[in-house]
Amino acid sequence: DAVLATPRSPSGTNAKPPRAEIIRCNHFLSETIAVVDPALVIALGVSALAALSRVERHDLTLRVDLARPTRWFGRYLAALYHPSPRTRVFRSFSEQVDDLARCLQTSTAKRGMLRD
């Protein structure tokens, strides 16, 4: 997660985390990646992608790099839409499932290249 607690809008739905909260939580995100040491990190949404760029700079954008694992910080990073109801305006649920499957298939094909 980009932040440790999901912020809520006044209506009770998920809200975009404030930049200050992302900055405050960045150390925990970085430490979590170091401890878990995953071969693939998947950013769910623009906020997560921005938070991960604070851990180690990248130039990925959700629109251009959707479900395309890219070398990042000794591992791969992939961007997917956040699976919230609002996202379905841009991407149907079935398209999001296909995006995840394509991302995992690509990363599995690159498995031999995941670690230097």
Side-chain angles (χ1 to χ4, degrees):
D1 287 341
V3 295
L4 296 175
T6 304
R8 299 288 180 187
S9 71
S11 66
T13 60
N14 288 349
K16 182 178 178 180
R19 185 173 188 273
E21 185 70 8
I22 290 173
I23 291 168
R24 278 193 296 273
C25 293
N26 194 251
H27 172 73
F28 297 105
L29 177 60
S30 181
E31 288 298 313
T32 299
I33 292 169
V35 169
V36 175
D37 193 26
L40 172 67
V41 174
I42 297 177
L44 295 178
V46 174
S47 295
L49 203 53
L52 289 166
S53 189
R54 295 185 60 80
V55 171
E56 180 72 21
R57 181 88 177 103
H58 65 76
D59 294 321
L60 296 176
T61 64
L62 188 57
R63 185 168 295 164
V64 173
D65 301 299
L66 179 65
R68 198 175 72 196
T70 303
R71 278 303 261 168
W72 172 79
F73 198 39
R75 63 197 85 243
Y76 281 91
L77 172 62
L80 296 177
Y81 280 94
H82 187 280
S84 70
R86 279 186 299 198
T87 301
R88 293 191 189 117
V89 170
F90 305 103
R91 206 103 178 119
S92 72
F93 180 76
S94 64
E95 287 174 312
Q96 291 181 60
V97 170
D98 290 344
D99 293 340
L100 176 60
R102 189 171 75 247
C103 177
L104 295 174
Q105 182 179 26
T106 301
S107 67
T108 300
K110 295 179 177 182
R111 187 175 306 272
M113 300 182 296
L114 288 174
R115 296 287 179 218
D116 294 329

